[in-house]
Amino acid sequence: MIASRNIGVVAAAATVLAAAPLSAIFQSWTWLIESVIAVAVVAGVAALTRLARAPLWGQVLGMLAGLILALTWLFPSGEELVGVLPTPGTFAHFADLLAGSAQDMRSYGVEVPDTDPLLFIAVLGVGAVAVLVDVLAVGLRRPALAGLPMLAIYSVPVAVYVDSVPATPFVVGAAGYLWLLVTDNVDRVRRFGRRFTGDGRDIDVWEASPLASAGRRLAAVGVALAVALPLAVPGMTGGLLDSLSRGPGNGTGNGTGSGGNSGRIDLFASLAGQLNQSQVSDLVKVTTSEPNPFYLRYAVADELRPTGFQARNPSGRPTNRDLPNPADRAGPGVQQTTYRATVEVTKSLSMSLMPVYAEPVRTEDLNGNWLYDPNQQVVFSNRENSRGRKYSFDYVRSTYTPAALRAAQPLPADHPVRRQLTSTPGPVPEVEDLVKGLIQDKRTDYDRVLAIYQHFSADNGFAYRLSTASGSSGQDIVNFLTNKVGYCQQYAAAMAWLVRSAGIPARVAFGFTNGSNRDGDTFTLTNLNLHAWTEVFFNGVGWVPFDATPASGVPGSTRSAWAPDTDAPEPSAPGTGVSDTPAGTDASAGPTGPDNADRDLDDGLSLSGTTPAEQPPVWPWWTAGLLALLALLAIPALRRLALRRRRGGGQAASAAVASATVDDGAEPETRVVVVGADANAARADAHAAWAELLDTMVDFRIPVDMTETPRATADRLVRDTFSDDTAAIGSAQLLGRAEERARYARDPLTGERLVPALRAVRGALAARADRRTRLLAAVLPPSVLLRWRTAMADTSGRMVALTGRTRHRLLRWNPRRLLADRAAR
């Protein structure tokens, strides 16, 4: 009974650990706290029913009843008895929560907020899995089958995430499952009898079983392979590798704008891959009934951090339902006209955001998986992407007169939009001083915004260039305002920052300019038409676009009556509402050619920029890689050559013969004087020559038997290989005799030329070998590879021995051993 209770506790803990993947889809940890409460109630009821010796079906009913009580206490309807006893009204409330969870799952993108319907469905699922795991692991004693309901929890975030679930929650869940298996196996062994090793030796109670240790190692290796193998197989994952390479918070960035859920997109990173391409790719074709449309938009970044503007998680309702009508905001000076557009996304653009014009009111050909966020005015999906889609929608184009915007009253200080979208990452004195000077004596929000907008003009030194200068301030915003050179992202983000510093909500929008490729009412937009601009919120009016980037640098740029082109020779006509690129500017010719705008966008919406350059040639990298590969392959050959030179570099110190002239008064006489040999040097030369001979035999695939004497090895080499080569026979026998004398004789062999003998033997072996053997002997000498393999084996053996000694020393401090010793006393 005690063992069953222990397994029941482990089963409950394993269920909680298996729920770890749910952390990837919730913003906070409320779900975990409530799930732990529900699992604890289920485990407690299961233990009580087993203590009362209830049958299995009674245990199941008791656990289900405990789960209902936990859900009633966590999600009350207000009609319960004594606070926790459910009533029919409670179950009706549960039904409403289930219906609301389906709606919330379609409305929210991950990470989801803590809504009661989503928390209810999560706690209900985890509690139900706890019941199944307890029944399988404790009631039926089949803990291996308990992995199936645990896997069901993991399948939830897998189905929600577009890319892949992070690996860490999977590892946590797998650890809980392995813990359950180990606990069950230990209990089975205890019931069987005493533990033993593979060779039958008994194990003390404090000592870990070798079989269990092997099982734990295999389990750890299995979990590691389960995580690592998908990373090595192309196509099995896209989110995990991208997240390791991008770091936290970024969801896309593969050069095509593709990737993860809309709430985690690093917008500038996804744009940079397109804008920095050397080739032009058609991304979108849009046909609209509007004569002069504004920019086609697909995302916004409204959260300003120290690293720049970031996108916030959107949330909304399906686009195939009625969408908000902006006509409610219509007033004096605000003109609203409804148009229809058809967008065809090519296969070159794949992202979880759908390009639309601002303020769509009705869509066609988009299913319920596509949602519309009325606050961000974006269409997004957590399940599908935009690649190859064609859809139509009706939208409202709003134009404003300066008088209408001047009439807008400032937002109250406690207004949610103002509190959220006027925040800046700490005070920046340079920015605050600039804004204070620009908005001085400006009485309306529009006049303040217009003053900031007009600051980014050529008269103030701002320019659109393909190169930017780095600054020394350490802050991108200050560097840009000082250097006054940048691209659309610097202008859009800088203006939004300054407007926020003035206490007015602002954000950065992303989309496409109209470009120059127009055929009637159809625009073909490419990766070079991607653009960013600023949107400012006015009370009672909504979000109003301002494009501070110089129009001359943006082909297809659109200006308006409320935000005219400050660099144009003449102001825009006030009655038109919308004007195209200023007169005198060729819409197809930007500063670097047709549609060549905004070619360098930085990651993270920062205000810094780098000089875009042509695609560097690839052949130097291929050449460097090839040279590195050749150098790596040449290491064994160079090592073999170094050994051969070292062994043959010394002189054989067998004997030194010198001549001396003796003059004894008679006719001079030349005598030969023999100087004694250095025995140690002669032995060293013989050993070196013999080692070289053995390596040569290994290189040419001649068997080497280390148990043979040198003479036996030389005779075998002569008998099997050099049967008809007199020079090679003599050389081999000389080397064998020299090694034999060096090993066993008092005096080594001296006066013999061992190095020429080695050359003769090697030449004879090479002449009798085939071409493949000669090539391997030169490029990948088997003797070097064998020596490396032996060294690795020796090192591994020493490490194993060291680990064993360390483990043996640590075992004396094992708590289990100390407790066992204390009990024995």
Side-chain angles (χ1 to χ4, degrees):
M1 191 64 63
I2 296 176
S4 298
R5 289 202 299 268
N6 290 339
I7 297 177
V9 173
V10 174
T15 302
V16 174
L17 294 177
L22 295 180
S23 62
I25 63 176
F26 279 95
Q27 292 179 354
S28 63
W29 296 95
T30 307
W31 70 271
L32 179 59
I33 298 174
E34 296 181 346
S35 298
V36 169
I37 295 174
V39 173
V41 172
V42 170
V45 172
L48 292 176
T49 54
R50 280 190 289 269
L51 186 62
R53 299 186 181 277
L56 182 59
W57 60 267
Q59 298 176 22
V60 174
L61 291 180
M63 287 186 287
L64 292 177
L67 177 59
I68 293 176
L69 291 177
L71 292 175
T72 303
W73 183 66
L74 292 172
F75 304 96
S77 64
E79 301 179 7
E80 291 77 20
L81 299 176
V82 199
V84 293
L85 297 179
T87 62
T90 302
F91 291 103
H93 176 61
F94 288 170
D96 293 339
L97 290 177
L98 288 175
S101 65
Q103 176 63 31
D104 286 350
M105 284 187 288
R106 298 173 65 90
S107 301
Y108 291 102
V110 291
E111 300 171 344
V112 298
D114 289 338
T115 64
D116 283 344
L118 293 178
L119 291 174
F120 175 79
I121 195 68
V123 176
L124 175 63
V126 175
V129 170
V131 174
L132 291 176
V133 171
D134 190 274
V135 171
L136 293 172
V138 184
L140 301 178
R141 297 310 298 269
R142 296 291 186 271
L145 296 179
L148 295 178
M150 292 181 181
L151 188 62
I153 299 179
Y154 185 74
S155 65
V156 174
V158 170
V160 172
Y161 262 80
V162 177
D163 290 333
S164 65
V165 182
T168 303
F170 171 77
V171 175
V172 173
Y177 178 59
L178 295 176
W179 184 16
L180 179 61
L181 294 180
V182 169
T183 304
D184 179 77
N185 288 332
V186 170
D187 179 67
R188 290 177 184 272
V189 171
R190 287 174 178 172
R191 292 187 178 189
F192 176 79
R194 63 176 59 192
R195 299 179 299 161
F196 58 90
T197 62
D199 56 2
R201 178 177 64 84
D202 290 341
I203 299 177
D204 204 346
V205 293
W206 58 267
E207 189 175 357
S209 171
L211 296 178
S213 299
R216 287 192 293 269
R217 295 190 186 98
L218 290 176
V221 172
V223 173
L225 291 178
V227 175
L229 282 180
L231 305 183
V233 178
M236 288 191 66
T237 182
L240 178 60
L241 283 180
D242 293 341
S243 67
L244 291 176
S245 62
R246 288 188 305 266
N250 301 339
T252 62
N254 58 4
T256 64
S258 65
N261 62 80
S262 57
R264 290 173 178 244
I265 289 182
D266 189 336
L267 295 168
F268 264 79
S270 62
L271 290 182
Q274 290 285 353
L275 296 173
N276 291 322
Q277 289 184 1
S278 58
Q279 61 182 13
V280 179
S281 300
D282 292 344
L283 300 183
V284 177
K285 291 185 179 180
V286 55
T287 302
T288 177
S289 59
E290 185 178 3
N292 297 303
F294 195 66
Y295 302 145
L296 187 69
R297 118 199 240 289
Y298 63 83
V300 296
D302 54 8
E303 186 175 5
L304 182 54
R305 301 178 182 176
T307 56
F309 280 90
Q310 301 290 336
R312 199 184 301 270
N313 288 341
S315 62
R317 57 187 304 172
T319 57
N320 55 6
R321 300 183 183 180
D322 293 336
L323 301 181
N325 192 341
D328 300 337
R329 301 192 308 269
V334 179
Q335 180 180 357
Q336 293 182 331
T337 308
T338 302
Y339 299 99
R340 183 173 180 81
T342 300
V343 175
E344 182 177 357
V345 182
T346 68
K347 295 183 178 180
S348 300
L349 180 63
S350 177
M351 61 181 179
S352 56
L353 297 161
M354 197 71 80
V356 293
Y357 289 112
E359 299 180 312
V361 293
R362 189 176 68 88
T363 64
E364 296 179 3
D365 306 319
L366 291 180
N367 57 36
N369 291 331
W370 289 96
L371 311 176
Y372 177 70
D373 187 333
N375 296 321
Q376 297 186 13
Q377 299 174 336
V378 298
V379 176
F380 68 99
S381 176
N382 297 314
R383 305 175 186 272
E384 302 184 19
N385 59 65
S386 61
R387 186 172 185 263
R389 291 189 175 273
K390 184 177 181 180
Y391 52 97
S392 301
F393 59 93
D394 297 334
Y395 67 97
V396 173
R397 173 67 189 279
S398 300
T399 57
Y400 317 94
T401 62
L405 297 180
R406 284 192 177 93
Q409 298 297 319
L411 286 174
D414 59 346
H415 195 281
V417 174
R418 181 168 181 175
R419 288 201 316 266
Q420 185 178 29
L421 299 181
T422 58
S423 61
T424 57
V428 181
E430 294 86 350
V431 173
E432 294 181 351
D433 293 342
L434 176 62
V435 172
K436 184 177 180 180
L438 292 175
I439 66 175
Q440 187 177 9
D441 299 330
K442 306 299 182 184
R443 296 184 178 182
T444 66
D445 281 353
Y446 171 72
D447 289 326
R448 298 185 184 98
V449 173
L450 187 63
I452 296 174
Y453 169 78
Q454 292 174 344
H455 176 71
F456 299 97
S457 64
D459 293 339
N460 292 323
F462 284 89
Y464 184 99
R465 296 180 185 174
L466 295 181
S467 61
T468 57
S470 59
S472 59
S473 67
Q475 294 178 300
D476 293 335
I477 178 68
V478 178
N479 293 338
F480 172 71
L481 295 175
T482 302
N483 298 325
K484 300 183 179 182
V485 175
Y487 310 94
C488 70
Q489 83 274 16
Q490 282 95 4
Y491 282 94
M495 180 178 174
W497 191 320
L498 267 61
V499 171
R500 286 191 173 201
S501 298
I504 305 172
R507 65 189 184 187
V508 177
F510 299 85
F512 298 86
T513 65
N514 294 325
S516 59
N517 190 356
R518 178 174 183 173
D519 183 9
D521 56 357
T522 300
F523 298 83
T524 301
L525 309 178
T526 70
N527 55 313
L528 303 185
N529 299 130
L530 290 166
H531 189 53
W533 61 96
T534 307
E535 292 181 344
V536 182
F537 188 84
F538 289 91
N539 189 12
V541 176
W543 290 100
V544 179
F546 289 82
D547 189 1
T549 306
S552 59
V554 183
S557 175
T558 299
R559 291 297 185 264
S560 57
W562 65 88
D565 184 6
T566 57
D567 297 327
E570 296 180 0
S572 302
T576 60
V578 178
S579 62
D580 293 328
T581 306
T585 302
D586 187 359
S588 63
T592 58
D595 290 357
N596 202 16
D598 306 325
R599 291 298 308 276
D600 183 36
L601 296 176
D602 295 320
D603 295 347
L605 281 173
S606 67
L607 298 171
S608 61
T610 55
T611 302
E614 297 183 357
Q615 188 71 18
V618 181
W619 66 265
W621 295 101
W622 284 102
T623 303
L626 181 60
L627 292 177
L629 179 61
L630 292 177
L632 185 63
L633 294 176
I635 291 178
L638 295 176
R639 174 61 177 168
R640 185 73 181 88
L641 180 61
L643 284 174
R644 188 179 301 123
R645 289 186 175 180
R646 188 175 64 187
R647 290 165 176 169
Q651 296 293 331
S654 56
V657 181
S659 62
T661 302
V662 180
D663 187 2
D664 54 0
E667 183 177 352
E669 178 182 1
T670 302
R671 299 178 182 178
V672 177
V673 180
V674 179
V675 181
D678 186 352
N680 292 331
R683 286 193 176 89
D685 292 342
H687 293 327
W690 185 251
E692 177 62 25
L693 175 63
L694 295 182
D695 283 352
T696 302
M697 294 172 62
V698 173
D699 290 341
F700 289 98
R701 301 183 181 278
I702 305 299
V704 175
D705 188 355
M706 302 305 296
T707 63
E708 289 182 334
T709 63
R711 178 174 296 185
T713 300
D715 292 342
R716 179 170 56 83
L717 181 61
V718 170
R719 182 177 62 256
D720 297 342
T721 310
F722 303 142
S723 58
D724 56 351
D725 192 335
T726 305
I729 292 174
S731 299
Q733 291 176 344
L734 172 61
L735 294 172
R737 189 168 62 255
E739 176 64 13
E740 188 177 47
R741 290 281 299 274
R743 289 187 185 182
Y744 310 119
R746 180 188 297 273
D747 298 323
L749 187 65
T750 58
E752 301 295 342
R753 300 175 60 83
L754 301 181
V755 175
L758 284 172
R759 295 197 186 100
V761 172
R762 184 176 182 84
L765 291 176
R768 287 166 172 76
D770 55 29
R771 180 179 302 176
R772 181 176 180 274
T773 302
R774 292 196 301 270
L775 179 62
L776 289 178
V779 178
L780 293 174
S783 60
V784 175
L785 301 181
L786 177 62
R787 183 174 287 105
W788 287 351
R789 187 162 56 247
T790 304
M792 290 180 62
D794 293 342
T795 303
S796 177
R798 289 193 297 270
M799 292 299 296
V800 170
L802 178 62
T803 303
R805 290 193 299 269
T806 303
R807 181 173 177 273
H808 180 71
R809 292 190 181 97
L810 293 177
L811 279 177
R812 68 181 62 180
W813 303 104
N814 190 301
R816 298 168 62 183
R817 179 175 184 174
L818 296 176
L819 293 175
D821 293 343
R822 179 174 297 179
R825 295 173 186 174

